[in-house]
Amino acid sequence: MKKGIYYAIALAAGMALSIEGAIYSELGKVIGKFESSFYNFFVGSIILLIIVLFFGKGEMSQSMKVPKWYLLGGLFCVIYLSVLVYAIPKVGVGIAMISAVIGQIVASMMIEHFKWLGSPRKRMTKNRIIAVTCMMIALYFIY
């Protein structure tokens, strides 16, 4: 499969995150913000359980044998979604999502530059820093 299809899939996933954030922000106004995040993870967990039962090929039992920091991903998902549920009603979907994307890019650049979390090194260059700075300036002008 060519790389382009992965870019398209990632683009669609990003669009889905914006839709999800807007939906759970509205749900949070009715049932509560943390309750909205809980609902998201509860329903998502049930759906994933069904997918794993029918299509999973991995070994969940291995999760007890890996370094414990490998298991922190869920914590970051909770932080991400809960912050969005609080932020979107205050600043809007657009600025919340663009800010999140810029945060993701900055973090990914640092992870790659310092080879954190087992990542291969990709140095932080002047061009990459300029690109992120331009995104921050664009965020200012967009909103």
Side-chain angles (χ1 to χ4, degrees), residues 40-57:
N40 173 59
F41 286 102
F42 180 74
V43 171
S45 294
I46 291 170
I47 292 168
L48 279 172
L49 175 64
I50 293 166
I51 291 170
V52 166
L53 288 174
F54 288 100
F55 303 105
K57 295 188 184 345

Side-chain angles (χ1 to χ4, degrees), residues 56-83:
K57 295 188 184 345
E59 294 182 50
M60 290 293 289
S61 63
Q62 294 299 311
S63 62
M64 293 295 125
K65 297 177 183 174
V66 299
K68 297 307 173 216
W69 68 269
Y70 284 15
L71 306 175
L72 289 175
L75 169 67
F76 291 104
C77 285
V78 168
I79 292 168
Y80 173 77
L81 182 64
S82 296
V83 166

Side-chain angles (χ1 to χ4, degrees), residues 3-133:
K3 282 186 179 181
I5 191 74
Y6 293 111
Y7 295 150
I9 291 168
L11 181 67
M15 294 171 75
L17 282 175
S18 291
I19 295 166
E20 175 194 37
I23 289 170
Y24 285 116
S25 168
E26 290 301 309
L27 181 63
K29 292 176 186 175
V30 178
I31 70 171
K33 295 185 182 340
F34 286 121
E35 293 79 1
S36 174
S37 292
F38 173 78
Y39 179 82
N40 173 59
F41 286 102
F42 180 74
V43 171
S45 294
I46 291 170
I47 292 168
L48 279 172
L49 175 64
I50 293 166
I51 291 170
V52 166
L53 288 174
F54 288 100
F55 303 105
K57 295 188 184 345
E59 294 182 50
M60 290 293 289
S61 63
Q62 294 299 311
S63 62
M64 293 295 125
K65 297 177 183 174
V66 299
K68 297 307 173 216
W69 68 269
Y70 284 15
L71 306 175
L72 289 175
L75 169 67
F76 291 104
C77 285
V78 168
I79 292 168
Y80 173 77
L81 182 64
S82 296
V83 166
L84 286 182
V85 168
Y86 274 89
I88 287 173
K90 304 282 189 234
V91 299
V93 176
I95 196 141
M97 296 310 293
I98 292 170
S99 298
V101 167
I102 293 171
Q104 290 171 1
I105 291 169
V106 169
S108 67
M109 286 171 50
M110 291 175 62
I111 289 167
E112 291 174 343
H113 180 78
F114 295 109
K115 295 175 42 175
W116 291 339
L117 307 173
S119 178
R121 172 162 284 183
K122 185 167 186 178
R123 295 219 177 259
M124 198 173 308
T125 64
K126 180 180 172 184
N127 287 346
R128 294 177 90 197
I129 293 169
I130 290 170
V132 170
T133 303

